[in-house]
Amino acid sequence: MEISPAAASPEPAQLPADASARLVWPRRLSGAWLLAWTGLTLWAAYGLATAWPYELHPLLLVLLVSMSGLVFRAGDLVFIRRRGRRLAGWWRTAGRLAALPLGVVLAFLLFSKLESISMTSFEREIATWVRQMHVSAPTSCPADGRYVADAALNSYLERSGAIRSGTLHHGDGRFILELKGRSIDIDGSTLYYDSVTRKWKRFHNDNRERTAEFQALINTMGECRFVLK
C-alpha cells in the first residue's frame, strides 16, 4: 500500500513550532527586563565611577538590586533557549533565590573596581592644584579663605558632586590637605594628602583606628579652613 507524504508526517511534528510560538512573548518580556536591569546597572556604575571619592555609596544599593535582577533574567533566557520552556512555579522561585547571592557577589566585585576608578580620577584631576600647593609651601590659608580652581578642575568638581570645603593643616615645613569624602551614612569619610608621603589616603569616619592615626598626625599643626572654588 502506498502512503502519501501527508499521511507519513505525524501530527505531533507541529508541536515544536507551537511551543516556540508560545515562548515568543515570555522571551521578549524576559529580554526587556534584562535590558532594563543592564541599563540600571550601567547607570549606577557610571555614577560610582565618576563620583567624588567615597567609602560606600547609596548607589551600591542600586547595584545590588540591578545585578541580582540581571543575573536572574540572563538565567531565565538561557533556560528558555536550552529547555524550550520557561521557569515556573518553585523552580522560578529557586532561580530568584539563587540569583540573589550571586548578584550580590558580582555587585561588590564591580563596586570595588568602580571605587578605585573614582579615587584614581580624583587624584588625577586634583594633581595640578596639589603641585601648586607644594610650590607655594603654604603656612596659612588665603585671606579670603578660598583657593581658585582652574577650569579643568572646576569642571571635575561640578561633575563629581564635590564637597569643596576643606582644612589646611601646616607646620614644620609640612602640610596636610583634608577634604570630606562621601559615604552611604551620615558619618561621611575623610580624604587627606600628606606633603611628605605625597599620597592621598581615605577612610570612613567610623574607623576609630584610622581616625586616631589621622588626629595624631595633625595634632601639633596649625589649621585653617578653606573653600576650593
Side-chain angles (χ1 to χ4, degrees), residues 70-224:
L70 192 154
V71 168
F72 173 73
R73 289 298 171 177
D76 191 32
L77 281 171
V78 170
F79 186 87
I80 290 174
R81 184 177 180 83
R82 292 285 182 85
R83 297 297 182 89
R85 58 189 174 87
R86 61 182 306 204
L87 280 168
W90 284 106
W91 284 105
R92 195 169 188 81
T93 302
R96 290 185 185 280
L97 292 176
L100 185 60
L102 181 56
V104 168
V105 170
L106 291 174
F108 272 105
L109 288 174
L110 179 58
F111 179 78
S112 66
K113 298 293 184 183
L114 297 169
E115 190 179 39
S116 176
I117 291 172
S118 168
M119 190 65 190
T120 300
S121 178
F122 163 79
E123 292 180 15
R124 182 179 64 249
E125 297 291 346
I126 209 164
T128 300
W129 176 61
V130 171
R131 282 195 295 269
Q132 291 172 353
M133 295 293 285
H134 274 285
V135 171
S136 63
T139 56
S140 63
C141 284
D144 60 358
R146 296 172 58 183
Y147 283 111
V148 179
D150 60 26
L153 177 55
N154 202 52
S155 176
Y156 166 73
L157 296 174
E158 289 290 338
R159 291 195 314 270
S160 64
I163 301 175
R164 293 171 178 261
S165 58
T167 305
L168 170 66
H169 306 274
H170 53 87
D172 300 325
R174 180 186 200 176
F175 69 88
I176 292 175
L177 297 169
E178 178 188 355
L179 295 170
K180 295 178 182 178
R182 298 199 179 279
S183 171
I184 201 168
D185 57 23
I186 62 174
D187 296 318
S189 59
T190 298
L191 305 162
Y192 71 93
Y193 176 86
D194 188 340
S195 65
V196 172
T197 62
R198 293 178 177 258
K199 290 182 179 179
W200 282 96
K201 292 186 178 181
R202 183 184 78 238
F203 62 89
H204 193 283
N205 292 338
D206 277 346
N207 189 324
R208 294 183 180 180
E209 182 180 347
R210 296 291 301 278
T211 301
E213 179 185 311
F214 178 66
Q215 288 300 322
L217 190 62
I218 63 174
N219 235 1
T220 59
M221 292 184 168
E223 67 174 44
C224 58

